[in-house]
Amino acid sequence: MKINANTNQHVREFLAETLGTFALVIFGDGAVAQVVLGNAARQDTFFGGFLNISVGYGLALMIGICISGGVSGGHLNPAVTLAMAAIKNLKLIQVPVYMAGQYLGAFLAALVLWGEYADAIKIVEVVVSPTNSSSYTSTTHGIFASYPFFDTNKVTT
């Protein structure tokens, strides 16, 4: 069976962005999780720091671009997709396809990562805050999101 190169181009782009973004998040956030959880569990800096996370994210970006670059250009980020559409390097009909793939890939990777490290997160949370067993603390929040360095109760409106 001969497959035409233009057959289901949007599906191919969607899957490429999904897999590329999945790889970016699983390896990038995986590096963050390893450093944060490893250091918190051992209560030292054996598992590294900012440099290890930066190298991990750099390699994750390279892997994601290698996976999706040949099919979709390897945007891996809705901001890049929007910028490409703004300078007319991407058709407007492709923007929702790319963004949907990126959001799905990132969400699935974060879900897999949370499932893989759920026990370690719970162990670290018990070590950091033995009395607070029902919620997460700022020790592990940074694995999945960015937060200000200062305590949020210091912010006034």
Side-chain angles (χ1 to χ4, degrees):
M1 180 171 130
K2 186 175 179 182
I3 297 175
N4 187 358
N6 292 329
T7 304
N8 297 325
Q9 182 64 26
H10 293 305
V11 173
R12 292 176 66 227
E13 292 167 347
F14 173 82
L15 291 174
E17 286 295 317
T18 301
L19 291 174
T21 306
F22 182 89
L24 170 67
V25 173
I26 200 79
F27 291 116
D29 280 359
V32 174
Q34 190 63 39
V35 169
V36 168
L37 297 173
N39 289 342
R42 286 177 51 106
Q43 297 180 347
D44 63 7
T45 59
F46 176 78
F47 285 94
F50 181 73
L51 181 63
N52 300 79
I53 293 170
S54 299
V55 170
Y57 254 107
L59 291 172
L61 184 61
M62 182 198 67
I63 292 168
I65 290 172
C66 287
I67 289 172
S68 64
V71 177
S72 66
H75 295 183
L76 308 181
N77 186 332
V80 174
T81 300
L82 195 60
M84 290 295 181
I87 61 173
K88 302 205 185 324
N89 282 351
L90 188 68
K91 295 176 188 173
L92 286 178
I93 192 70
Q94 293 172 300
V95 172
V97 173
Y98 276 56
M99 286 187 176
Q102 292 158 358
Y103 283 115
L104 179 65
F107 180 78
L108 290 175
L111 193 63
V112 167
L113 197 64
W114 180 79
E116 180 66 28
Y117 284 103
D119 291 338
I121 290 171
K122 193 65 173 171
I123 289 169
V124 167
E125 290 297 335
V126 168
V127 168
V128 170
S129 179
T131 59
N132 184 13
S133 62
S134 62
S135 66
Y136 297 111
T137 63
S138 62
T139 305
T140 58
H141 283 168
I143 296 171
F144 299 102
S146 298
Y147 290 94
F149 181 71
F150 53 86
D151 194 11
T152 53
N153 64 4
K154 293 180 182 176
V155 179
T156 60
T157 56

